[in-house]
Amino acid sequence: GVVDFGAKLGTVFQTWGGWAVDLARKLAGAVTETSDFLSKISDLSAKTGVGTSALQELAYAASQTGVETDALFKGVEAMSRKFGDMAAGGKSLSDFLLRVGGPAFLKQAKAAKTNEDRLELMLVALSKIEGEEKRAALASAVFGKAGEDMVLMLGDVAAGLQELRKQ
């Protein structure tokens, strides 16, 4: 009777309660993970001047090509440092850009006003360079150790970035 019903009701609450607690843990984990990711993007944007929207778009592109977002972020940081060095008179990146792309490319790279503009210019350049060796060399010169990952990510990304932005 009543005792049996109470016991069954207790079992139902235990089962549903366990499920609810498990769901709450999973949701909390997802919220924490998303918060950490957005915090990384915000920090990187503040460090490099590349907008959060652009970084989110690139992170999405990286996720679609199997590239770790940490590699992408390290590449953007390296690019920022290297262009900063070039702006301060460093010759290593400017000499390389001149050798690979010629005077017009170097002029365009120097004329870019923001790191976001520089990043877009480098992504487009990587997508247009013919020959894997040249592409890998430019990626390494601009993005450091993360250059290889950037090349993987860029298979069709530079051309498809506009399409990704629409999504």
Side-chain angles (χ1 to χ4, degrees), residues 7-167:
K8 288 179 183 175
L9 192 57
T11 302
V12 167
F13 282 134
Q14 283 178 342
T15 302
W16 281 96
W19 177 80
V21 168
D22 188 44
L23 178 62
R25 283 187 187 134
K26 287 180 181 178
L27 286 173
V31 167
T32 300
E33 190 176 306
T34 300
S35 176
D36 290 348
F37 176 72
L38 292 176
S39 178
K40 281 182 181 180
I41 284 184
S42 178
D43 292 348
L44 183 61
S45 178
K47 272 187 201 176
T48 64
V50 176
T52 56
S53 294
L55 292 172
Q56 287 173 334
E57 290 166 0
L58 288 171
Y60 175 76
S63 75
Q64 298 303 298
T65 56
V67 172
E68 295 289 326
T69 53
D70 283 345
L72 165 69
F73 293 168
K74 285 177 185 174
V76 171
E77 278 188 79
M79 181 211 73
S80 177
R81 280 191 308 276
K82 290 177 182 222
F83 271 97
D85 181 59
M86 186 171 86
K91 295 286 185 199
S92 120
L93 182 59
S94 60
D95 287 349
F96 186 83
L97 295 178
L98 179 63
R99 222 174 32 254
V100 169
F105 182 55
L106 177 59
K107 184 177 179 179
Q108 195 175 10
K110 286 184 173 183
K113 299 282 184 212
T114 67
N115 274 339
E116 191 165 337
D117 293 342
R118 292 176 191 110
L119 177 61
E120 190 166 337
L121 176 65
M122 293 302 112
L123 296 178
V124 169
L126 282 171
S127 73
K128 291 182 177 182
I129 286 182
E130 295 195 18
E132 290 179 35
E133 295 84 13
K134 271 184 141 179
R135 189 176 302 116
L138 177 61
S140 179
V142 173
F143 300 107
K145 292 178 184 175
E148 187 177 312
D149 288 318
M150 297 299 282
V151 169
L152 287 174
M153 185 185 83
L154 287 175
D156 297 319
V157 171
L161 207 49
Q162 300 298 344
E163 186 63 33
L164 287 172
R165 286 181 173 156
K166 291 176 189 173
Q167 293 177 6

